[in-house]
Amino acid sequence: EDLGVKHRLWVYSGRRGVHCWVCDDAVRKWSPSLRAAAVEYLTLVKVGHPGQPGELGQGAGPRPGGYPSRCAARCRAGSGGRVCVGGAGSAASAVSLDRRPQHRELLQSEFPRKRDSVQRWELLKGRMEWTRRPAGAGKSAPCFADWEIMLQYCFPRLDINVSKGIGHLLKSPFSVHPKTGRISVPLDLQRLDQFDPFTVPTISSLCHELDAAGDDGEQEDGGEAEPKRRMRDYKKTSLAPYVRILEQFVEEMERGRRGELLRRSGES
């Protein structure tokens, strides 16, 4: 929305990542410096840089309005206002955002006595310093410690090298992830809440489906005298709905391109 791009195809990587293919004509012509600037604008969490002003670790929190504030609100809503907190080690990691040893020691002793992640999160929030007094200020200013932790653990990390390099190798949709065997499939944003990465077709499952479809086809064709039009192999497998998502994306791009050409011809 902020960058004005329209044609975005979201593709599951096959493991734990998501690729966003931005296919607008103008964006495809961006220089590496423009691409790097866009990724920098979209990056909220900078791991390993806690001392920079306005970044996580300084208590600055998301500023009202603008992209950082909206993303913080979305992370908060998506997590239900909570972050899944494990044992004492993760507690120490979370509280290291303000780097106060006394907080970490308290949590390390109290966390094992809590029953589940919900209780640990409530304890963590209760131990946070919710207000801070800047140097020279006459009154306390709000602190967004819980928002910072949610962003630190829930907001996705962006791969700047893939995005800014025009000659960078990219993993194509429908390729096979070498470690999981899952197919890199496009995502339907209208049904994103129904997407389960563990049910994505794998190269092995597709081979089994094709073998089963081939056996059924041979049995049916045995008693037919007239040849019928052969269905494409992928339509006999669980890959078919994902191919349709790609086709719909391409059709939408083509409609947008025709509309832009008509608008330009009308102006000229």
Side-chain angles (χ1 to χ4, degrees):
E1 294 172 359
D2 289 10
L3 300 177
V5 297
K6 297 180 179 179
H7 301 295
R8 304 178 304 279
L9 178 68
W10 295 89
V11 182
Y12 170 56
S13 71
R15 191 182 184 190
R16 60 185 179 189
V18 179
H19 306 154
C20 181
W21 289 76
V22 181
C23 299
D24 296 52
D25 285 341
V27 177
R28 294 208 302 266
K29 298 173 184 176
W30 280 2
S31 65
S33 58
L34 270 177
R35 293 165 182 264
V39 177
E40 179 73 18
Y41 173 72
L42 296 171
T43 299
L44 301 187
V45 179
K46 297 184 178 180
V47 179
H49 298 80
Q52 305 253 339
E55 293 178 359
L56 298 180
Q58 287 252 310
R63 292 179 293 278
Y67 180 76
S69 181
R70 292 201 306 274
C71 289
R74 288 169 183 167
C75 280
R76 189 182 184 94
S79 64
R82 299 192 185 104
V83 175
C84 181
V85 184
S90 61
S93 176
V95 179
S96 67
L97 288 174
D98 72 6
R99 297 187 295 280
R100 299 192 178 185
Q102 64 270 28
H103 288 177
R104 292 196 296 272
E105 293 170 2
L106 271 174
L107 288 172
Q108 285 175 338
S109 63
E110 295 185 22
F111 259 51
R113 297 197 290 268
K114 297 303 177 181
R115 183 177 67 252
D116 53 26
S117 180
V118 174
Q119 290 188 356
R120 285 189 286 269
W121 175 245
E122 294 301 325
L123 172 66
L124 181 60
K125 289 202 300 182
R127 291 287 184 268
M128 288 176 185
E129 183 181 1
W130 293 103
T131 59
R132 61 186 172 93
R133 187 180 296 276
K139 60 180 181 178
S140 295
C143 179
F144 301 94
D146 59 334
W147 287 55
E148 291 187 4
I149 292 177
M150 289 180 193
L151 284 174
Q152 181 77 30
Y153 287 95
C154 299
F155 196 77
R157 299 333 190 234
L158 305 180
D159 192 333
I160 187 170
N161 292 323
V162 171
S163 300
K164 75 177 182 180
I166 297 178
H168 201 288
L169 291 176
L170 298 175
K171 191 165 176 284
S172 173
F174 301 109
S175 58
V176 182
H177 196 283
K179 292 186 178 179
T180 64
R182 296 192 188 104
I183 308 299
S184 180
V185 294
L187 299 174
D188 183 359
L189 296 188
Q190 302 302 320
R191 305 176 60 188
L192 192 58
D193 56 341
Q194 302 175 26
F195 177 74
D196 182 358
F198 296 107
T199 62
V200 169
T202 65
I203 186 64
S204 300
S205 68
L206 290 178
C207 288
H208 290 314
E209 291 172 6
L210 287 172
D211 290 341
D215 294 340
D216 294 341
E218 290 176 2
Q219 293 176 4
E220 292 176 2
D221 293 342
E224 291 185 4
E226 296 182 3
K228 63 180 181 180
R229 185 178 179 182
R230 186 168 181 263
M231 181 186 296
R232 293 194 176 187
D233 287 341
Y234 78 85
K235 291 186 176 181
K236 305 173 185 177
T237 70
S238 54
L239 202 62
Y242 298 105
V243 176
R244 182 57 189 152
I245 294 174
L246 177 64
E247 291 174 344
Q248 291 172 344
F249 175 75
V250 174
E251 291 167 2
E252 181 182 349
M253 279 189 60
E254 183 60 25
R255 285 194 297 269
R257 181 174 176 273
R258 287 199 300 265
E260 182 64 20
L261 290 175
L262 287 174
R263 186 185 64 81
R264 291 178 181 178
S265 63
E267 291 177 353
S268 60

